């Protein structure tokens, strides 16, 4: 962390300051709950203690392995496609460096991939656009089919696998999906593309606890400070950049 | 076989704002109340990890689990309705406190005009102003009659606000002063003033200072952390049922809360309810809870569904225009305008759910409609509720939806845009209604509610007018690029618009055209009260919770009266 960043970080309100300024401790208006947890995490956050981001940089990130995709090739196609949607540029990292492909893989392995909280009972009919998603496929099935269709379409059109195409060609493939031009089963290629696009954005900007937004660099690029306790003292002021904090900051750190 | 429990005085179906208010007021009067809540118990302690956009705002952690129950939807009666398989357009809550936990906290009182919309429109503009098939009705109560209940709800919440030109007459000032003004909001306020409007700070349930309510419950001062809408408040600084009315009810010793209890039927003998049947969703066992009074305090749509499924009240039939249950389903007409600034940045990530400047000059009948092809209007707010990075990727018109240019622009304009928006009123229409779906069922085998809804000509005219006015204001706010939609399309269940669904069991002064009287007591069953926005005869141009809260206090008074004397209260 640069000196400048450290300085900024000190400027952001610490939890102790928050507790003091908001008068919760002195006034005793609230008990237990989150405040109890915050007070405990003060101990771990004293000067000299490693911040979680630093700790992560020093060790290997064991989280970066696959829970859903079974073939390396599929994961590479996903990674390349994600990078075209959210590419690295002079503002900062793209989807790959942010860990977005891992984020998507991990999300697909869980409840979201199985559409666990959505209504999946039949009968299934095509409706109007305004009636929304009506496929019987869950997201795992959509991604599985979609990634293999990207490969098949690339080979048919360019006689090469997707990962060996130029950036422009990869964009052409993705555009064909976006425009609904690629035939898929139980879903349109546009619906698959929209799902892919939205999950890339999620991976770039979700709290790093989910495996994307590595080192909070997605937030840093966007000047979103993440999990902050209070802006009471700043809400009336002009724009300012604030060093981001993740939810990890709330945990009692080991 | 369902196990029959001991009879109680009052049972509420759902424990959010309305169930909590009814429970607190009835329990204070010594009535024994049981609150059946299908979700889990929860409170401030549950929001330790609340600053998580993905979990709460994108994956809807606090919202209804659609795998168990949803609605079906179609735009027109001739279409086949299909299930809303994913959340989108609106977000019903689940769990103790209901949607009252994840609300933003805007707490308006509907205008005096709203309650007498039919009479006032006809008096001023003549009968022809209300076009064929628009089922506009008075509410069977006036603003002045409802004022004490508004006052009560605002004191329970400690609402922070200031009076403005068009606000209805108040018996008391707002309990706490308005929230802090900001450079972002001020940009709007200055421009609005220049154009001759009268901006004011919106009334907010995110409190400007720590407050103790008349029941002795403390609500803390808002920290402007930017996680309000779709989130619970870890500071206890947003008034919600779990830190106000529910603990108030519990303090009396007369209230028993039963979470994980999903009511499937209202039991009745054709004239009166005898109780409710529910499933304990953990054990899977069925129970019958007999009660002297049954109060429906679930979300708008479930109030209606439960009545239809239990065959209580007369179902609405759009062809004949007869019947009342399912009638006058309304929504809102959301009109958004975004301004892009090339050289200025704002703290868009800070804020609070109800932190906003507003103007009311284009709401209700606050402006002349003689030469306009619609009635009513909407409040315009410039809100700073905390823009979050996954959901908020504003790009000027013409920017691609992905790739290098998208990334560059969505990052740049994240802090360089201001948005304003109208909440346009929704006027009831004969063919916009709720009934039971013939095909799709919930997890317990009961039919889903079927919504038939589209925007009307009235809505389209109103939208066009408000969008133009919004554009003018944004120009005056000095934006380099102004983006707005000129025409309203068909209602679409996919994009989030508003969780301001109303109607289905509407109030009024005539049993032929309304389901409940002005105590929200059913005309067809004296001991059933149907409480919530389901009672709105149309939807106004404001957030509905202030009016829902007032009606709930009115209903609670009615339930206490009924418990003493019985009979129809009106």
């Amino acid at each position: 962390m640069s000196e400048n960043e450290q300085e900024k970080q000190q400027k952001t309100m610490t939890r102790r300051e928050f507790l003091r300024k908001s008068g919760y401790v002195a006034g005793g208006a609230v008990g237990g709950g989150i405040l109890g947890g915050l007070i405990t995490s003060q101990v771990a956050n004293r000067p000299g203690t490693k911040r979680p981001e630093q700790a992560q940089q020093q060790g290997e990130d064991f989280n970066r392995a696959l829970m859903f995709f079974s073939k390396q090739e599929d994961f590479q196609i996903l990674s390349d496609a994600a990078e075209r949607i959210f590419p690295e540029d002079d503002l900062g990292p793209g989807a790959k460096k942010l860990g977005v492909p891992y984020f998507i893989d991990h999300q697909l392995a869980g409840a979201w991939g199985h559409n666990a909280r959505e209504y999946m009972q039949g009968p299934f009919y095509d409706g109007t656009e305004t009636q929304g998603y009506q496929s019987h496929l869950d997201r795992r099935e959509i991604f599985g089919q979609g990634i293999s269709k990207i490969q098949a379409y690339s080979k048919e059109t360019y006689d090469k696998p997707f990962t060996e195409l130029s950036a422009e060609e990869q964009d052409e493939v993705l555009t064909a999906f976006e425009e609904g031009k690629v035939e898929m089963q139980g879903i349109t290629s546009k619906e698959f593309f929209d799902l892919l696009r939205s999950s890339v954005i999620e991976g770039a900007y979700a709290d790093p606890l989910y495996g994307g937004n590595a080192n909070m660099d997605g937030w840093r690029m966007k000047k979103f400070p993440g999990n902050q306790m209070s802006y009471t003292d700043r809400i009336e002021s002009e724009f300012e950049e604030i060093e981001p904090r993740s939810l990890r900051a709330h945990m009692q750190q080991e | 076989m369902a196990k029959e429990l001991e009879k109680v005085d009052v049972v509420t179906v759902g424990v959010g704002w309305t169930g909590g208010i009814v429970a607190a007021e009835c329990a204070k009067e010594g009535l024994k109340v049981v609150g059946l809540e299908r979700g889990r118990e929860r409170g401030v302690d549950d929001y330790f990890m609340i600053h998580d956009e993905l979990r709460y705002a994108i994956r809807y952690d606090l919202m209804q689990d659609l795998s168990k129950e949803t609605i079906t939807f179609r735009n027109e009666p001739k279409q086949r309705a299909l299930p809303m398989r994913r959340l989108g357009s609106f977000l019903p809550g689940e769990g103790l406190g209901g949607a009252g936990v994840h609300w933003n906290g805007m707490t308006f009182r509907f205008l005096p005009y709203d309650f007498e919309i039919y009479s006032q429109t006809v008096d001023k503009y003549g009968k022809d102003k209300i076009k064929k098939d628009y089922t506009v009705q008075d509410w069977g109560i006036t603003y002045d009659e409802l004022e004490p209940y508004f006052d009560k709800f605002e004191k329970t919440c400690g609402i922070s606000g200031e009076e403005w030109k068009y606000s209805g007459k108040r018996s008391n000032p707002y309990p706490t002063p308005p929230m802090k003004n900001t450079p972002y909001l001020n940009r709007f306020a200055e421009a609005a003033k220049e154009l001759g409007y009268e901006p004011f700070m919106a009334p907010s349930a995110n409190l400007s200072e720590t407050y103790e309510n008349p029941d002795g419950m403390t609500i803390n001062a808002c920290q402007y952390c930017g996680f309000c809408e779709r989130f619970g408040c870890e500071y206890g600084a947003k008034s919600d049922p779990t830190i106000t009315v529910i603990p108030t009810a519990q303090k009396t010793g007369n209230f028993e809360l039963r979470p994980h209890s999903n009511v499937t039927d209202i039991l009745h003998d054709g004239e009166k309810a005898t109780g409710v049947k529910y499933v304990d969703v953990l054990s899977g066992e069925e129970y019958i809870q007999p009660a002297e009074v049954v109060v429906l305090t679930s979300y708008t749509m479930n109030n209606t569904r439960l009545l239809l499924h239990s065959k209580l009240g007369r179902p609405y039939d759009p062809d004949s225009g007869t019947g009342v249950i399912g009638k006058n389903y309304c929504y809102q007409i959301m009109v958004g305008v975004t301004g892009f600034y090339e050289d200025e940045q704002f703290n868009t990530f800070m804020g609070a759910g109800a932190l906003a400047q507003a103007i009311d000059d284009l709401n209700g009948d606050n402006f002349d409609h003689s030469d306009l092809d619609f009635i009513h209007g909407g409040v315009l707010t410039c809100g700073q509720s905390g823009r979050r990075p996954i959901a908020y990727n504003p790009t000027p018109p013409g920017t691609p939806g992905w790739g290098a240019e998208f990334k560059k622009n969505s990052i740049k304009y994240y802090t360089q845009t201001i948005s304003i928006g109208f909440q346009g009123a929704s006027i009831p229409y004969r063919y916009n209604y709720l009934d039971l779906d013939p095909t799709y069922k919930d997890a317990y085998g009961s039919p889903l509610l079927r919504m038939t809804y589209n925007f009307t000509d009235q809505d389209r005219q109103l939208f066009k007018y408000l969008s133009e006015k919004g554009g003018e204001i944004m120009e005056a706010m000095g934006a380099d690029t102004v983006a707005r939609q000129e025409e309203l399309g068909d209602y679409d269940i996919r994009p989030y618009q508003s969780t301001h669904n109303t109607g289905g069991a509407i109030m009024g002064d005539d049993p032929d055209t309304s389901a409940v009287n002005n105590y929200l007591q059913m005309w067809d069953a004296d001991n059933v009260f149907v409480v919530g926005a389901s009672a709105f005869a149309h939807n106004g141009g404001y957030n509905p919770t202030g009016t829902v809260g007032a009606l709930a206090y009115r209903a609670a008074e009615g339930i206490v009266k009924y418990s003493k004397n019985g009979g129809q209260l009106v």
Side-chain angles (χ1 to χ4, degrees):
Chain A
M1 195 183 293
S2 72
E3 268 182 30
N4 187 27
E5 278 170 336
Q6 274 179 353
E7 209 178 273
K8 267 186 214 149
Q9 195 177 313
Q10 280 159 7
K11 277 207 293 200
T12 65
M13 192 185 260
T14 64
R15 281 174 292 275
R16 192 183 298 280
E17 271 179 298
F18 161 72
L19 293 166
R20 184 168 52 74
K21 286 184 182 164
S22 60
Y24 284 0
V25 171
V30 201
I34 187 158
L35 292 170
L38 293 171
I39 293 161
T40 357
S41 67
Q42 292 296 313
V43 181
N45 225 22
R46 65 185 178 268
T49 312
K50 275 181 207 153
R51 292 185 53 78
E53 303 82 58
Q54 289 172 315
Q56 196 172 319
Q57 281 164 2
Q58 285 163 10
E60 200 174 344
D61 190 348
F62 295 105
N63 188 257
R64 290 200 171 189
L66 303 183
M67 301 176 190
F68 169 71
F69 285 99
S70 51
K71 283 199 291 225
Q72 201 174 350
E73 178 187 296
D74 290 348
F75 186 69
Q76 281 165 351
I77 294 167
L78 171 72
S79 300
D80 273 16
E83 184 70 16
R84 292 315 304 153
I85 289 169
F86 199 83
E88 181 163 357
D89 60 10
D90 51 7
L91 292 170
K96 281 185 186 174
K97 278 199 185 144
L98 290 171
V100 169
Y102 292 101
F103 165 87
I104 294 173
D105 174 79
H106 296 0
Q107 287 290 303
L108 285 168
W112 183 76
H114 289 280
N115 293 21
R117 298 185 77 232
E118 281 147 33
Y119 190 82
M120 295 300 285
Q121 293 181 41
F124 293 90
Y125 298 102
D126 288 338
T128 60
E129 267 208 339
T130 59
Q131 288 177 300
Y133 181 77
Q134 294 298 334
S135 175
H136 61 282
L137 301 177
D138 67 20
R139 293 187 182 86
R140 294 158 62 100
E141 293 165 323
I142 295 168
F143 263 93
Q145 189 192 158
I147 296 295
S148 60
K149 287 278 177 187
I150 288 180
Q151 185 73 315
Y153 183 85
S154 303
K155 285 180 177 169
E156 271 165 37
T157 315
Y158 302 97
D159 213 17
K160 272 188 203 166
F162 183 73
T163 50
E164 288 174 27
L165 300 179
S166 69
E168 291 71 30
E169 287 167 337
Q170 287 183 334
D171 285 354
E172 284 167 20
V173 173
L174 294 173
T175 303
F177 276 80
E178 186 188 21
E179 290 173 351
K181 287 180 179 162
V182 182
E183 198 168 315
M184 290 181 62
Q185 289 178 332
I187 189 137
T188 65
S189 69
K190 181 183 186 329
E191 285 171 306
F192 163 61
F193 179 84
D194 290 347
L195 177 63
L196 173 65
R197 177 197 175 274
S198 62
S199 50
V200 170
I201 308 279
E202 288 168 6
Y205 296 127
D207 190 284
L209 82 91
Y210 295 99
N213 186 17
N215 198 35
M216 302 186 287
D217 284 339
W219 287 350
R220 220 169 253 117
M221 274 189 286
K222 209 164 177 176
K223 304 186 177 70
F224 174 69
N227 169 36
Q228 301 286 332
M229 295 305 291
S230 174
Y231 295 121
T232 301
D233 291 348
R234 297 165 180 251
I235 186 80
E236 291 163 301
S237 313
E238 298 298 322
F239 174 79
E240 57 184 313
E241 263 185 70
I242 300 169
E243 173 65 13
R245 292 154 47 117
S246 74
L247 281 167
R248 174 75 177 143
H250 279 350
M251 302 305 289
Q252 192 163 3
Q253 288 147 30
E254 286 131 29
Chain B
M1 224 3 223
K3 185 181 169 193
E4 187 158 337
L5 304 167
E6 219 170 288
K7 193 173 193 177
V8 295
D9 295 322
V10 178
V11 65
T12 77
V13 181
V15 188
W17 266 127
T18 57
I21 289 169
V22 166
E25 295 306 296
C26 292
K28 280 189 217 167
E29 293 295 321
L31 296 172
K32 295 286 177 196
V33 185
V34 163
L36 300 174
E37 166 55 50
R38 67 180 174 180
R40 68 185 179 99
E41 207 171 345
R42 60 182 176 183
V44 172
D45 292 2
D46 284 296
Y47 310 133
F48 181 43
M49 286 282 130
I50 202 74
H51 290 180
D52 184 340
E53 182 186 11
L54 185 73
R55 175 175 174 182
Y56 292 101
I58 307 292
R59 302 278 188 262
Y60 309 122
D61 200 71
L62 301 180
M63 316 304 177
Q64 185 170 313
D65 178 352
L66 297 193
S67 73
K68 298 201 168 67
E69 185 194 323
T70 183
I71 59 148
T72 68
F73 162 70
R74 57 185 177 178
N75 284 118
E76 316 289 342
K78 61 179 191 300
Q79 287 176 329
R80 186 206 313 264
L82 294 175
M84 177 175 78
R85 296 187 179 277
R86 294 178 178 170
L87 284 169
S89 172
F90 50 87
L91 302 171
E94 190 168 279
L96 190 64
V101 163
H102 75 254
W103 71 316
N104 259 336
M106 293 259 191
T107 315
F108 289 98
R109 302 171 169 199
F110 273 17
L111 293 161
Y113 163 79
D114 279 307
F115 301 101
E116 299 172 272
I117 185 170
Y118 180 82
S119 322
Q120 289 197 14
T121 302
V122 170
D123 282 354
K124 190 164 167 189
Y125 303 107
K127 268 201 157 165
D128 292 346
K129 191 74 179 172
I130 296 170
K131 304 233 164 59
K132 187 171 168 280
D133 292 334
Y134 289 91
T135 47
V136 182
Q137 295 177 201
D138 291 347
W139 290 38
I141 196 163
T142 63
Y143 172 86
D144 289 342
E145 288 170 301
L146 207 49
E147 202 285 333
Y149 308 97
F150 278 121
D151 188 57
K152 200 156 187 192
F153 183 61
E154 288 171 359
K155 283 179 178 152
T156 295
C157 295
I159 301 302
S160 301
E162 59 185 358
E163 279 193 59
W164 66 94
K165 183 178 170 186
Y166 298 103
S167 54
K169 218 174 81 194
R170 304 177 56 86
S171 53
N172 286 294
Y174 280 101
T176 54
M179 300 190 81
K180 291 173 189 280
N181 196 10
T182 74
Y184 182 101
L185 302 185
N186 216 29
R187 181 57 66 97
F188 165 77
E190 293 299 322
K193 266 185 229 160
E194 250 171 60
L195 294 173
Y197 298 116
E198 302 197 21
F200 60 94
M201 288 297 290
S204 167
N206 326 123
L207 299 199
S208 58
E209 60 187 34
T210 301
Y211 169 81
E212 188 182 314
N213 82 7
D215 296 316
M217 299 297 151
T218 298
I219 302 138
N220 291 311
C222 176
Q223 300 299 313
Y224 302 89
C225 75
F227 288 83
C228 236
E229 183 177 42
R230 307 191 184 185
F231 306 87
C233 182
E234 77 273 40
Y235 305 109
K238 169 169 72 177
S239 286
D240 83 34
T242 69
I243 59 166
T244 56
V245 291
I246 295 167
T248 297
Q250 283 166 325
K251 207 171 60 175
T252 64
N254 292 325
F255 175 60
E256 187 197 338
L257 171 69
R258 280 186 217 146
H260 304 294
S261 301
N262 190 85
V263 174
T264 53
D265 296 275
I266 309 163
L267 305 172
H268 62 92
D269 60 14
E271 285 185 2
K272 272 189 178 182
T274 55
V276 298
K277 188 156 97 175
Y278 71 94
V279 184
D280 177 327
V281 300
L282 297 183
S283 69
E285 285 180 41
E286 279 191 333
Y287 292 92
I288 286 168
Q289 177 60 66
E292 296 288 348
V293 180
V294 171
V295 193
L296 303 193
T297 52
S298 64
Y299 196 61
T300 304
M301 289 180 231
N302 255 354
N303 281 356
T304 301
R305 187 170 88 113
L306 210 47
L307 290 170
L308 290 170
H309 176 61
S310 307
K311 300 190 165 38
L312 192 57
R314 293 148 289 141
Y316 174 65
D317 172 9
D319 292 326
S320 63
T322 59
V324 288
I325 310 299
K327 181 181 160 177
N328 283 24
Y329 171 74
C330 287
Y331 196 44
Q332 257 173 356
I333 315 308
M334 307 306 282
V335 187
V337 181
T338 301
F340 295 81
Y341 293 81
E342 291 308 317
D343 304 311
E344 286 175 273
Q345 280 185 294
F346 304 93
N347 289 318
T348 50
F349 47 84
M350 303 179 186
L355 177 62
Q357 287 266 4
I359 61 166
D360 227 359
D361 305 72
L362 299 171
N363 199 0
D365 202 38
N366 299 343
F367 59 113
D368 186 59
H369 288 70
S370 301
D371 299 325
L372 299 171
D373 211 10
F374 59 86
I375 59 171
H376 217 308
V379 71
L380 175 62
T381 51
C382 174
Q384 189 175 352
S385 59
R387 298 289 193 194
R388 290 168 300 273
I390 299 173
Y392 199 60
N393 288 286
T395 54
T399 307
W402 54 280
E405 198 186 338
F406 166 78
K407 184 186 174 193
K408 194 168 129 268
N409 278 344
S410 60
I411 286 174
K412 172 179 174 183
Y413 290 107
Y414 172 68
T415 51
Q416 297 185 203
T417 46
I418 296 182
S419 297
I420 59 174
F422 284 96
Q423 291 183 66
S426 176
I427 302 302
Y429 182 64
R430 180 171 179 167
Y431 299 103
N432 285 337
Y433 68 102
L434 306 171
D435 66 355
L436 293 179
D437 191 89
T439 307
Y440 294 95
K441 306 264 193 291
D442 71 4
Y444 306 100
S446 302
L448 297 183
L449 189 73
R450 176 168 68 179
M451 174 193 293
T452 305
Y453 184 76
N454 207 350
F455 296 127
T456 61
D457 287 342
Q458 144 82 30
D459 297 332
R460 291 170 208 277
Q461 298 292 342
L462 175 64
F463 183 95
K464 213 172 157 194
Y465 180 83
L466 295 180
S467 178
E468 271 172 29
K469 295 288 179 190
E472 284 167 22
I473 294 170
M474 190 53 82
E475 298 280 352
M477 287 165 69
D480 295 293
T481 307
V482 176
R484 67 184 176 92
Q485 192 185 328
E486 285 180 30
E487 307 272 343
L488 181 64
D490 286 332
Y491 173 63
D492 188 331
I493 203 83
R494 292 170 300 172
Y496 184 75
Q497 288 148 75
S498 164
T499 310
H500 298 167
N501 315 76
T502 66
I506 65 172
M507 60 193 292
D509 59 8
D510 180 354
D512 281 344
T513 54
S514 58
V516 296
N517 66 27
N518 65 26
Y519 283 99
L520 309 194
Q521 179 186 30
M522 274 190 91
W523 294 114
D524 293 344
D526 291 351
N527 69 338
V528 178
F529 290 73
V530 189
V531 188
S534 52
F536 288 15
H538 70 276
N539 202 358
Y542 289 130
N543 308 63
T545 306
T547 303
V548 168
L551 290 174
Y553 273 108
R554 167 93 181 163
E557 189 183 295
I559 294 162
V560 172
K561 272 191 194 173
Y562 173 83
S563 296
K564 286 179 186 151
N565 307 318
Q568 274 288 316
L569 298 167
V570 176

